[in-house]
Amino acid sequence: MHTRHAYCVCVDQNLSLKYGVLGLLAEEPLHGYEVKNRFEAMLGGTWEVNIGQIYTTLQRLERDGLVRPVGERGDRGKLQYELSESGRNAVETWLGEPDSGPQQLHEDIYVKLLLATRLVNGDLRPLLARQKRAYLQRLRDLNQLEDRARKDGRHDLARLVRGALLHTEADIKWIDELSERSIGGGTGTE
Amino acid sequence: MDRRAFRAEHWRGNGHGMTELVRLTDITKVYQGGVTGALNGVSLTVETGEFTAVMGPSGSGKSTLLNLIAGLDRPTSGNVSVGGTDLGRLSESGLARFRRDRIGFIFQFFHLLPNLTALENVLIPAQLRGRTAGDAAGRKLLSQLGIADIADRYPARLSGGQQQRVAIARALINQPALLLADEPTGALDTSSGEQVMALLAELHDEGQTIVLVTHDAKLATRHAARVISITDGRVVDDVRLETAERKAADVIRVRGEEMMR
């Protein structure tokens, strides 16, 4: 089960990297390092990719006929890629589709809560209290990040941070709700 | 702002210890016929210059706490002291003077008097104090809060955000040691709410001590570095958040390495 979970996650990650790369090439032809730099700048430092991942992605996209090299290798072996017609269609289709995958609960806290329910006889209050502090700190950090993004004129990034803020707010509401019910023992299956 | 620096000095020089401004000792508050809003053994202190948020579900007692600090209500037992003054020792008129001279209070629904203009509302506390300072100080304050142009309008002709700014000006006119705010953005749209919070943050930067009651964690953590959580009349957490700026990647990961582990 663990392996399967890890596998699913990897597929997902490659998916958004794949379309991220395709989307950037839809603007203009780029070589590998330009793709990496633009991708990281677009994500405002919230996702760092290594150049190897970019090259692997570009090779797969080329194999699938979604991108093609432009001309010969330039100085220091740089090769530019451009989008093919089917690559352009793939980006447009992807942009038009809602993200309808399963809810991602990849944080430790979810597994911790399940295990703590079994291991500490249901008294989750200390765990919940510590978690709430961590979420409050995250909210503060996110608020600062949003302010910085706005100041830098990165309104696209501010929108992304706003999403993270609202998610964290929901996490806090969840913790509050669990705390208020000061959950008893049991796995909740009976 | 110089006047606030002066005020902080004034409080420090009051011989009540370091920079502590508020001290609650073992407060209980019991309401007849119900437990809503009751307090059950609350002790805490607030330092001069702090921006503290008090959070909790409705009925948890957070507004009660604010009212006790403001001298709007008295505890069933325990002790409230503000700026070295033990509120329990004050008569009703002494308490009224305390509120007028040392406390600024803003409410969710503004509580402006409808038959007075914005400026007249702002000047009420100063007039109660018997000051003749008058228009100039009030207009200056309104202008600092960005609403000089609406000074002569009546509250009914103002937006919610404008009304709350007028209420803030009224709260500040007597240069209070402590500004208390009970859900000040609760009746405002997001954008006006953010402007009001930005004003409070500016006041804090200038040295104003602020205690804010809110149920909005986003707002609480945006400007207040200290968050007190109240549930069922008890303080269940009291945390001072780290304020250093962090790298984006340390705050958000968009499908980053973390998931590859």
Side-chain angles (χ1 to χ4, degrees), chain B residues 106 110 112 117-123 135-155 157-172 188 192 195-196 199 202-203:
Chain B
I106 54 180
F110 329 126
L112 298 178
T117 65
L119 180 62
E120 288 164 350
N121 267 286
V122 171
L123 294 176
D135 288 18
R139 284 189 193 276
K140 188 177 168 203
L141 210 41
L142 285 173
S143 136
Q144 281 166 354
L145 296 177
I147 45 169
D149 51 323
I150 55 98
D152 301 313
R153 284 198 214 161
Y154 288 89
R157 291 200 47 223
L158 302 177
S159 71
Q162 289 170 329
Q163 289 188 60
Q164 195 60 296
R165 289 193 213 195
V166 173
I168 292 173
R170 180 183 59 187
L172 293 176
L188 302 178
S192 315
Q195 286 170 18
V196 162
L199 278 177
E202 272 176 44
L203 293 168

Side-chain angles (χ1 to χ4, degrees), chain A residues 8 11-12 15 94 97-105 167, chain B residues 255:
Chain A
C8 290
V11 168
D12 237 341
L15 263 184
W94 182 74
E97 278 171 356
D99 176 4
S100 58
Q103 169 88 51
Q104 300 263 342
L105 300 179
H167 269 285
Chain B
R255 299 201 173 155

Side-chain angles (χ1 to χ4, degrees), chain B residues 197-220:
Chain B
M197 284 303 297
L199 278 177
L200 294 186
E202 272 176 44
L203 293 168
H204 171 244
D205 289 343
E206 291 163 6
Q208 181 71 53
T209 310
I210 300 176
V211 181
L212 162 77
V213 161
T214 180
H215 64 270
D216 185 332
K218 290 196 303 304
L219 279 185

Side-chain angles (χ1 to χ4, degrees), chain A residues 133 137 141 143 147-148, chain B residues 218 222 237 242 245-246:
Chain A
R133 281 189 173 204
Q137 181 67 52
D141 294 338
N143 271 315
D147 282 348
R148 215 187 312 155
Chain B
K218 290 196 303 304
R222 187 172 192 90
D237 197 24
E242 289 167 30
E245 279 209 24
R246 306 183 65 202

